[in-house]
Amino acid sequence: MSFVPGQPVTAVVQRIEIQKLRQGNNLILGFSIGGGIDQDPGQNPFSEDKTDKGIYVTRITPGGPADVAGLMMGDKIMQVNGWDMTMVTHDKARKRLTKKNEDVVRLLVTRKSLEEAVKQSMGGFPRP
Amino acid sequence: MFCRNQTARATVARGSALEMEIRRGKFRKSVFLDTSQDSDIQKKIDHEIRMRDGACKLLAACSQRDQALEAAKSLQTCSTRIMAYMSELQRMKEAQVMQKVTRRSSDAGPMDDRLPCKGKVAISDLRIPLMWKDTEYFKNKGELHRCAVFCLLQLGGEIFDTDMVIVDRTLTDICFDNTIVFSEASPGFELRVELYSCCSEDDYSAGSTPRKLASKLSSSLGRSAGKKLRAAMEPGPCSPVSNGGAAPLLLPVPSVPGPKYHLLAHTTLSLSHIQDSFRTHDLTISGNEECSYWLPLYGSMCCRLAAQPHCMTQQMMSGCLKVKQCGGDPQSWTKVYAVLKGTSLFCYHQQEDVEANIEPAFTIGINKETRIRASEKDPHSKVQNICISNQYGGEEVTHTLTTDSREDTHCWMEAFWQHFYDMSQWKQCCDDLMKIELPSPRKPAPVTPKQGSLYHEMVIESSDDLSSTVSDILARRMQELELRSQLGTSPTWMSVFEENNAKSAGRTRHCTSRLSGHSPCTPHRLPRSPASPHRCPRLGLLSSDASLTSDSDSHCSTSPCSHHHGWPEPSSNFSLLSSSPSRLRPRTLSLDAKLSTLRGRGYGGGGAFQCPCQPPPSSLLAPLPISSRSPRTQRSTQTTLSCSSSTSSNSSSNSEGSHSPESSEGVPFSRPSPARRSLRNLRARLDPRNWLQSQV
């Protein structure tokens, strides 16, 4: 999902709502993120475009809240509770997900299969 | 005397008889009076007046600025509520006078007077972005200009306020974390959101500073602060109107010295703005730059507005029915207990199943595409049947319902019509049930007051697995330490170990104290940090050490810094075992030096897919004796602490290989403390050749 600077980015997104799990003093979501504008995008194994500095889901703890909510490994997180995630530093992204006073995070995520599903249902031409 | 059409303002003339009556609370005895509704409102008004008096007294008595701000906020809220109740009372009286039916109910009246059901409307995650000018940052070296802001939300007769937030130029958005739920909203609701702000500079209470001094002060202050101060001093165009410039007051608000809030921006939300996700709305901004309470708003507001109409959450109709599916055996009527709720008609075998939460026998969808009609009378029983048709993926499925009596059929038809009407009124809210989280009553985790250093924020994860892991590791370390008795200093982490044993979650501030400036092999968290123990499962002492100390090399150069930062590295940098070459490196403080040493050690590039700490155990043996023999870098060999939890590696640049070494397998859900993370992230960020991963 490459972008042209200055132009709006459009993507097919899925809404995922994750209820945080309370463990002692912590609220956990059960997944790991990678990426950020301060990170090296070339090392992102999940992105199609190796200049994409977005936040990606790199691991899902099986059975955790994120898994239950339908988040998948390799998803790119576009928004968290209304906050944009396409142009944030890694730490900012982590902080947005781990606010202590929030029990629920509502994510907008995108993945390649979504785009393809939409294209196929709209276009109807066979993919090579 | 008053205008009939304006229902939102209290327009009783001052000094009029009606006003006097209301003031004295005597309107109950008035001939216009009605009933319990009026007395409810009167009670509310009385309550608010008492609250307001209390707030005034508090305001007069407060000495501290924040208390005064809070009291002023309560005052503002109470005043607004009083206004709202007054106008509602007014409206009710008018209606009575006009002899209209004043009561609203959700019982269905005659067909044309059908009223939609009410619902719950919730607004949450309010966020208002700010747009500071660069002059605020760069040229204004003075004190921070701060404003206290809060939002008032009004829907129908309910008014709520959010918590107060202090805003200064270090904030990019004003965020209100409250979730406000309005319980009885009709589909045509108007939710008015008002943002009030008040300048929060100490010692600048207008009027208390003599003029000359004020002008002297304002000229010597920072630019924008001075400007605002001047504006506050003179009663300019934005002079405070304490009720936010609303309609003429019925009861004069007592003017109390102290901070006053002014309306900064407002907007009105309605049904069309409801969505099950976050949306941005425009704000109408009042006031201008010269006002003391001004904040540079970007002009929009982001929030989540959700609604749960009662037709989606409550049972609209229930009763016994006989259902037959069309196309089936004409005599196969199934007796069910049916419940109409949300977008379906749930059919249970028996009534008890509903309470018992047993799955219904079957469910008939009732949504916008459903068609319901009454069929011709059944010749035998003279009762009309109700036919419900749905399209299920291209096929039309019809169910026929019949009841025992004509009245029942009529009731069901009524219920269906009402349900359709509700769905048409609430529109998108009836497509699916939106979630509304009730604000949780539990208090958020207590925030430790900052004691000036990150030392105090270190926490050991409280988890059984963790503590046993840590104890194991520490025990092993201790053994090694015996080898190095020449070090002479007892490792400070020993105390941690004891503490660990005693209680798994604890603060380890003392641990770090001794280490300042001493440990080269600091638990510096380099992104390349090795995979967590799960990767190098505890085969033995060395391998686990390897995993834990892998990146020990890093960072001797930053160790002093880390100490100054309070070193929260929990991780296990038992630097003892770090590969020896690092020991010989002189400590340096600069980032450049650190990075160049990294490069020098050929930690190049990739680290991405490999854990650099994969040295076979044997190689680790070598460093061990070496380090023990070389106390010259005495500091370097000193043990570094680690109050570690097994979330040793923090963000690591690796990818699938060592998945998120954030936590050990044993405790998949643990998370390092904020202090550790911040310092760790700081270091990780320092090296641009990483692709960090963090567990959330």
Side-chain angles (χ1 to χ4, degrees):
Chain A
M1 287 146 243
S2 56
F3 71 97
V4 175
Q7 297 300 315
V9 176
T10 55
V12 181
V13 292
Q14 177 177 354
R15 275 192 218 139
I16 292 191
E17 196 171 290
I18 306 182
Q19 298 279 343
K20 292 190 189 177
L21 180 65
R22 177 162 286 281
Q23 281 225 336
N25 216 19
N26 292 325
L27 283 169
I28 50 174
L29 291 158
F31 67 99
S32 299
I33 52 166
I37 54 178
D38 54 336
Q39 306 296 311
D40 176 9
Q43 297 177 32
N44 183 346
F46 302 104
S47 59
E48 223 178 73
D49 174 11
K50 290 302 171 190
T51 62
D52 184 1
K53 295 186 165 182
I55 305 292
Y56 282 78
V57 176
T58 58
R59 186 180 82 114
I60 307 263
T61 312
D67 194 20
V68 163
L71 194 64
M72 296 176 48
M73 195 163 82
D75 286 354
K76 176 176 172 183
I77 303 182
M78 308 292 281
Q79 235 187 52
V80 170
N81 280 349
W83 296 89
D84 172 63
M85 286 284 154
T86 58
M87 204 51 70
V88 287
T89 59
H90 184 88
D91 200 45
K92 196 77 173 172
R94 187 188 49 78
K95 282 184 181 147
R96 290 254 165 84
L97 286 162
T98 54
K99 284 198 176 321
K100 282 211 179 250
N101 55 359
E102 282 175 359
D103 283 339
V104 178
V105 283
R106 295 184 166 90
L107 312 181
L108 289 185
V109 302
T110 183
R111 58 180 84 99
K112 191 129 184 308
S113 53
L114 286 178
E115 300 257 5
E116 288 188 6
V118 170
K119 279 199 196 126
Q120 282 185 351
S121 62
M122 288 185 355
F125 52 87
R127 310 276 301 165
Chain B
M1 184 169 98
F2 49 79
C3 177
R4 288 202 192 110
N5 297 332
Q6 287 193 309
T7 52
R9 296 176 158 215
T11 49
V12 174
R14 256 176 215 275
S16 72
L18 190 52
E19 186 209 347
M20 294 310 292
E21 274 196 349
I22 292 175
R23 264 199 185 183
R24 289 200 213 101
K26 289 203 174 149
F27 67 91
R28 273 180 182 178
K29 306 196 179 94
S30 130
V31 65
F32 293 133
L33 235 242
D34 169 276
T35 81
S36 56
Q37 275 195 325
D38 278 5
S39 59
D40 277 346
I41 299 232
Q42 184 57 29
K43 279 198 202 104
K44 286 193 218 163
I45 293 180
D46 289 340
H47 176 73
E48 290 301 325
I49 291 182
R50 275 198 300 274
M51 298 269 296
R52 191 176 68 178
D53 291 340
C56 291
K57 288 197 189 101
L58 185 57
L59 197 54
C62 291
S63 51
Q64 296 202 357
R65 191 76 187 175
D66 351 328
Q67 284 174 356
L69 287 170
E70 286 283 349
K73 171 170 91 98
S74 323
L75 184 59
Q76 178 71 47
T77 311
C78 293
S79 307
T80 315
R81 284 198 181 124
I82 291 174
M83 291 267 310
Y85 294 147
M86 290 290 192
S87 37
E88 176 150 355
L89 198 57
Q90 179 74 17
R91 230 179 318 127
M92 277 174 20
K93 286 178 169 301
E94 289 171 18
Q96 284 164 24
V97 167
M98 309 282 286
Q99 306 218 331
K100 262 194 231 163
V101 176
T102 55
R103 257 183 253 270
R104 294 197 171 268
S105 73
S106 45
D107 300 330
M111 277 296 201
D112 13 287
D113 261 6
R114 200 181 285 282
L115 299 166
C117 66
K118 305 254 175 170
K120 271 208 268 194
V121 172
I123 181 167
S124 61
D125 300 285
L126 267 158
R127 175 168 69 91
I128 299 171
L130 297 167
M131 190 174 62
W132 298 98
K133 286 205 284 218
D134 52 358
T135 49
E136 281 277 337
Y137 287 106
F138 300 120
K139 302 209 180 122
N140 180 15
K141 302 258 171 37
E143 60 305 310
L144 223 45
H145 173 232
R146 300 158 84 218
C147 276
V149 298
F150 73 98
C151 267
L152 261 187
L153 300 113
Q154 180 172 5
L155 194 157
E158 300 175 85
I159 296 182
F160 292 104
D161 59 347
T162 60
D163 292 336
M164 187 185 70
V165 173
I166 304 273
V167 177
D168 56 36
R169 64 173 183 258
T170 64
L171 278 192
T172 57
D173 302 76
I174 308 175
C175 296
F176 296 107
D177 298 327
N178 315 78
T179 304
I180 312 261
V181 180
F182 298 96
S183 11
E184 294 293 317
S186 61
F189 70 88
E190 293 221 327
L191 172 57
R192 190 169 155 90
V193 181
E194 291 174 341
L195 181 69
Y196 286 91
S197 81
C198 166
C199 174
S200 154
E201 245 109 36
D202 295 328
D203 307 334
Y204 295 168
S205 45
S208 65
T209 323
R211 266 294 176 180
K212 247 169 67 179
L213 182 55
S215 50
K216 271 205 196 138
L217 279 177
S218 59
S219 58
S220 63
L221 293 169
R223 242 164 50 142
S224 43
K227 223 185 332 177
K228 285 171 177 100
L229 178 57
R230 254 175 265 127
M233 292 297 166
E234 305 136 22
C238 339
S239 50
V241 180
S242 58
N243 61 353
L249 288 174
L250 172 56
L251 296 173
V253 174
S255 58
V256 182
K260 288 194 172 63
Y261 283 93
H262 313 278
L263 181 65
L264 182 58
H266 68 93
T267 184
T268 307
L269 304 174
S270 59
L271 187 66
S272 52
H273 297 114
I274 290 190
Q275 201 179 335
D276 198 8
S277 66
F278 295 85
R279 282 182 66 172
T280 308
H281 312 277
D282 291 326
L283 283 175
T284 312
I285 303 182
S286 34
N288 55 43
E289 262 193 46
E290 302 304 320
C291 301
S292 64
Y293 57 89
W294 171 256
L295 280 175
L297 301 179
Y298 184 73
S300 57
M301 173 185 86
C302 178
C303 67
R304 180 173 178 265
L305 189 61
Q308 282 180 348
H310 289 155
C311 61
M312 298 293 288
T313 52
Q314 295 171 2
Q315 294 185 6
M316 300 306 289
M317 177 81 192
S318 55
C320 287
L321 288 178
K322 283 193 283 226
V323 184
K324 174 179 75 155
Q325 183 154 348
C326 244
D329 188 2
Q331 294 313 313
S332 67
W333 290 97
T334 322
K335 272 195 101 140
V336 293
Y337 180 78
V339 170
L340 176 61
K341 182 166 107 166
T343 54
S344 326
L345 182 69
F346 299 98
C347 300
Y348 297 89
H349 283 305
Q350 331 157 31
Q351 185 164 359
E352 292 71 34
D353 289 351
V354 182
E355 284 94 42
N357 271 338
I358 300 180
E359 286 294 311
F362 53 92
T363 305
I364 304 175
I366 309 276
N367 51 41
K368 297 192 181 100
E369 273 92 55
T370 309
R371 285 172 307 130
I372 299 189
R373 58 188 165 82
S375 66
E376 59 291 344
K377 287 199 207 295
D378 187 359
H380 301 291
S381 55
K382 300 264 193 299
V383 172
Q384 282 181 304
N385 294 340
I386 304 173
C387 291
I388 304 179
S389 309
N390 274 312
Q391 290 267 340
Y392 288 122
E395 287 187 12
E396 181 157 335
V397 179
T398 305
H399 296 269
T400 311
L401 282 71
T402 189
T403 60
D404 297 326
S405 69
R406 218 182 312 178
E407 292 74 28
D408 283 350
T409 310
H410 185 69
C411 283
W412 276 99
M413 287 301 287
E414 267 300 303
F416 286 131
W417 289 133
Q418 177 66 35
H419 203 68
F420 281 138
Y421 182 69
D422 291 341
M423 296 206 297
S424 73
Q425 292 295 298
W426 281 100
K427 303 196 180 107
Q428 75 271 21
C429 308
C430 290
D431 290 340
D432 223 338
L433 187 62
M434 293 188 194
K435 294 252 200 86
I436 289 182
E437 282 97 33
L438 292 172
S440 123
R442 94 186 129 71
K443 279 203 162 286
V447 176
T448 318
K450 282 214 157 117
Q451 297 180 36
S453 85
L454 289 176
Y455 287 102
H456 303 289
E457 291 177 21
M458 288 172 63
V459 177
I460 292 189
E461 297 295 299
S462 62
S463 130
D464 294 340
D465 285 344
L466 231 40
S467 54
S468 67
T469 308
V470 173
S471 332
D472 285 348
I473 294 171
L474 286 175
R476 289 186 214 121
R477 294 279 183 215
M478 274 176 61
Q479 290 163 14
E480 287 148 34
L481 263 196
E482 316 294 33
L483 301 175
R484 315 162 178 242
S485 45
Q486 64 261 37
L487 280 185
T489 51
S490 87
T492 50
W493 52 258
M494 281 295 292
S495 43
V496 176
F497 176 63
E498 268 113 36
E499 197 181 51
N500 257 348
N501 269 343
K503 177 78 187 84
S504 50
R507 307 234 139 201
T508 54
R509 42 196 103 155
H510 55 277
C511 309
T512 58
S513 52
R514 296 199 47 188
L515 298 171
S516 351
H518 282 315
S519 62
C521 316
T522 312
H524 188 60
R525 258 228 174 250
L526 235 216
R528 290 225 171 115
S529 64
S532 52
H534 77 264
R535 229 180 135 212
C536 311
R538 296 183 219 109
L539 309 168
L541 171 60
L542 296 173
S543 48
S544 56
D545 291 336
S547 62
L548 294 171
T549 59
S550 56
D551 54 352
S552 61
D553 347 52
S554 30
H555 349 301
C556 299
S557 48
T558 44
S559 61
C561 301
S562 68
H563 286 300
H564 294 299
H565 289 295
W567 211 45
E569 290 290 35
S571 78
S572 35
N573 285 328
F574 299 108
S575 43
L576 291 182
L577 293 196
S578 61
S579 358
S580 51
S582 57
R583 292 309 150 57
L584 316 177
R585 238 189 17 237
R587 267 181 313 149
T588 54
L589 289 172
S590 73
L591 169 59
D592 290 335
K594 173 175 142 358
L595 286 180
S596 54
T597 50
L598 276 183
R599 264 183 236 117
R601 258 178 298 119
Y603 257 28
F609 295 85
Q610 271 180 13
C611 178
C613 73
Q614 280 188 346
S618 57
S619 68
L620 285 176
L621 284 172
L624 183 49
I626 291 178
S627 44
S628 61
R629 264 186 275 120
S630 57
R632 72 181 114 126
T633 33
Q634 198 190 67
R635 307 175 272 169
S636 64
T637 48
Q638 179 146 1
T639 46
T640 44
L641 163 101
S642 75
C643 324
S644 69
S645 38
S646 56
T647 56
S648 39
S649 34
N650 73 341
S651 7
S652 106
S653 57
N654 20 17
S655 51
E656 315 99 342
S658 48
H659 284 307
S660 200
E662 293 302 307
S663 63
S664 69
E665 292 291 291
V667 191
F669 289 150
S670 65
R671 207 186 342 152
S673 74
R676 276 183 227 160
R677 267 204 309 275
S678 61
L679 195 53
R680 181 193 310 159
N681 284 341
L682 176 68
R683 296 214 193 91
R685 259 187 272 132
L686 296 178
D687 187 341
R689 288 165 300 160
N690 292 320
W691 199 67
L692 299 184
Q693 292 182 46
S694 305
Q695 175 157 5
V696 295

